[in-house]
Amino acid sequence: MRRTVLTALAAVAALVGSGVLGATAATPALALDNGLALTPQMGFNNWNLTQCGSQFNEAFVKGIADTLVSTGLKDAGYQYVNLDDCWAQSSRDASGNLVPDKTRFPHGIKAVADYVHSKGLKFGLYSSAGTKTCNKAGFPGGLGHEKQDAALWASWGVDYLKYDNCNNQGQDAKKRYTAMRDALAATGRPILYSICEWGQNQPWTWAASVGNSWRTTGDINDSYSKMLSIYKANIKLGKYAGPGHWNDPDMLEVGNGKMSDTEYRSHFTLWAMMSAPLLIGSDIRKASSATLTILRNADVIALDQDAKGVQGNEISAANGLHVIRKPLADGDTAVALFNETGSTAKISTTLSAIGVSAGTHSLTDLWSKAKSTTTGPISASVPAHGTVVYRVH
Ligand code: GLA
């Protein structure tokens, strides 16, 4: 079993030393010890954009890899190129191996992985801890085939597995996901393990030693209301997250066009405040400059990727005016003021409310980059559905 008490003790010691344990009651989890996702994973996944449409193919994936490099997104931290459902043929071959869809991937999956690796990026694949995947066409799932599938993926150069929950035959989730954890470990290849069981069996209570992240809710879609409801569910689970084992509120919709840029900035900021995996799900080959400005905001990404690995928690949320606090490794504190409501509102908090010592502190607005100072009050006029986020030094 790839888990170590030492890793967990080190993590707990770091939290105690920083005073965080007392503040947020972090759970001393026995983290999966594959050395991966010490900060939340960042990259691209096609699902929110293509689902199983015919545009999901080799040329598309190569184009995404090229664009991650050419737009600077790779340098901003997005390193995984992940393929979701519908990459396989509907049947295994005579030896029981999964077979790549010949139309979408005529040169196979390894050729695509090699291309992605040649760009200095990492490569991810998808399957389900069931007899079939989630798409109604029903591609073969991994249940009962864990060792064979993991070995095949490792031979292709897979660096990341998203493992879904469809067609699970009612079998115990922890057993199903643990079987694949052990199969991945047995390959000897470091493979980031992303559990996708939609929060159905409260994975936050058992999956820290099984996977590197676990979905906490059903699927996101490109709407403010769905993004908001997922935020409200995921923000409550902060004590279960930490380096190597993260809550996953699902992939980003930034750039898909049905939310405003103000709403996408909120989506991105809230995900970063929650130490969420940041997986781009829009067509970056055609991204607007507004979309790229959001996805490349290094100051907001730094909150997500902060080495302390403490998920932000809500200080207050009265009347849809949310104050979220995230302590950072260098002693700074991030504070986000999120206006859930349909009209502009003033949102206020104080240094003491966010746990910062008295004295004069400087504030940087991480979207406008404006700097200011405060001896106590922190507030902003926040537009409808908008978020202002400060780094307090
Ligand atoms: C489920 C998952 C999604 C996506 C689809 C693919 O709905 O939650 O993220 O992977 O399956 O079919």
Side-chain angles (χ1 to χ4, degrees):
M1 252 199 338
R2 306 192 83 206
R3 50 189 246 182
T4 120
V5 175
L6 278 180
T7 306
L9 288 178
V12 172
L15 291 170
V16 170
S18 64
V20 163
L21 197 59
T24 61
T27 301
L30 291 163
L32 176 66
D33 184 29
N34 62 4
L36 300 173
L38 298 180
T39 62
Q41 60 265 37
M42 293 175 65
F44 176 91
N45 173 298
N46 63 288
W47 183 255
N48 288 347
L49 173 65
T50 69
Q51 303 192 336
C52 293
S54 59
Q55 74 270 39
F56 172 48
N57 61 25
E58 178 181 306
F60 168 86
V61 178
K62 286 182 168 178
I64 292 294
D66 293 344
T67 308
L68 284 170
V69 174
S70 65
T71 54
L73 286 164
K74 175 183 174 237
D75 288 341
Y78 299 90
Q79 61 168 335
Y80 289 98
V81 177
N82 295 345
L83 276 50
D84 211 283
D85 200 356
C86 303
W87 61 266
Q89 300 263 104
S90 52
S91 306
R92 294 171 180 272
D93 70 12
S95 315
N97 284 318
L98 293 165
V99 183
D101 182 295
K102 288 188 173 55
T103 308
R104 295 181 197 273
F105 299 105
H107 304 100
I109 295 294
K110 183 171 187 304
V112 182
D114 287 348
Y115 186 86
V116 168
H117 289 146
S118 77
K119 299 282 159 183
L121 296 160
K122 294 195 157 116
F123 182 76
L125 214 50
Y126 162 99
S127 185
S128 180
T131 49
K132 290 182 171 187
T133 66
C134 292
N135 183 262
K136 58 181 181 309
F139 301 98
L143 190 63
H145 297 265
E146 292 86 356
K147 287 205 170 71
Q148 182 171 11
D149 290 354
L152 182 66
W153 297 327
S155 78
W156 288 345
V158 167
D159 306 300
Y160 184 120
L161 176 68
K162 172 179 174 180
Y163 204 38
D164 215 333
N165 194 31
C166 284
N167 303 300
N168 61 48
Q169 311 303 309
Q171 293 187 24
D172 179 74
K174 186 174 180 188
K175 278 193 192 137
R176 288 182 291 113
Y177 283 96
T178 302
M180 183 56 82
R181 174 198 68 185
D182 294 342
L184 293 173
T187 68
R189 185 176 175 87
I191 299 177
L192 194 154
Y193 186 28
S194 156
I195 293 174
C196 178
E197 68 76 83
W198 322 309
Q200 283 194 343
N201 302 278
Q202 304 197 308
W204 44 90
T205 63
W206 52 264
S209 62
V210 180
N212 294 112
S213 63
W214 50 83
R215 282 273 300 279
T216 56
T217 69
D219 289 6
I220 197 167
N221 60 43
D222 191 12
S223 70
Y224 175 73
S225 60
K226 178 56 86 175
M227 186 278 289
L228 178 63
S229 70
I230 290 181
Y231 162 74
K232 287 183 174 178
N234 196 75
I235 188 70
K236 299 195 182 104
L237 301 172
K239 70 178 182 184
Y240 300 103
H245 53 102
W246 307 103
N247 290 310
D248 177 2
D250 208 357
M251 303 175 289
L252 298 170
E253 292 284 1
V254 176
N256 276 329
K258 295 206 174 110
M259 286 189 248
S260 68
D261 287 335
T262 297
E263 291 166 343
Y264 284 140
R265 274 190 291 277
S266 285
H267 176 20
F268 195 69
T269 308
L270 294 172
W271 263 230
M273 290 294 286
M274 295 192 294
S275 308
L278 298 179
L279 294 167
I280 298 170
S282 61
D283 196 346
I284 52 174
R285 299 169 305 171
K286 300 171 188 159
S288 67
S289 63
T291 293
L292 287 174
T293 299
I294 295 170
L295 294 173
R296 288 190 305 221
N297 186 326
D299 294 323
V300 175
I301 291 172
L303 306 182
D304 183 78
Q305 296 292 300
D306 186 77
K308 195 177 192 105
V310 175
Q311 178 174 327
N313 68 307
E314 271 190 344
I315 303 293
S316 55
N319 305 315
L321 306 179
H322 303 257
V323 178
I324 307 132
R325 159 195 190 259
K326 187 184 206 291
L328 303 170
D330 66 355
D332 288 359
T333 301
V335 57
L337 310 174
F338 165 48
N339 178 5
E340 170 189 340
T341 78
S343 40
T344 300
K346 185 175 179 191
I347 306 182
S348 304
T349 186
T350 63
L351 288 175
S352 81
I354 63 165
V356 175
S357 59
T360 304
H361 292 267
S362 62
L363 259 56
T364 307
D365 179 321
L366 302 184
W367 287 108
S368 76
K369 312 301 180 188
K371 290 188 189 298
S372 56
T373 60
T374 181
T375 53
I378 298 173
S379 70
S381 169
V382 186
H385 299 180
T387 302
V388 169
V389 60
Y390 296 115
R391 186 168 182 131
V392 183
H393 312 278

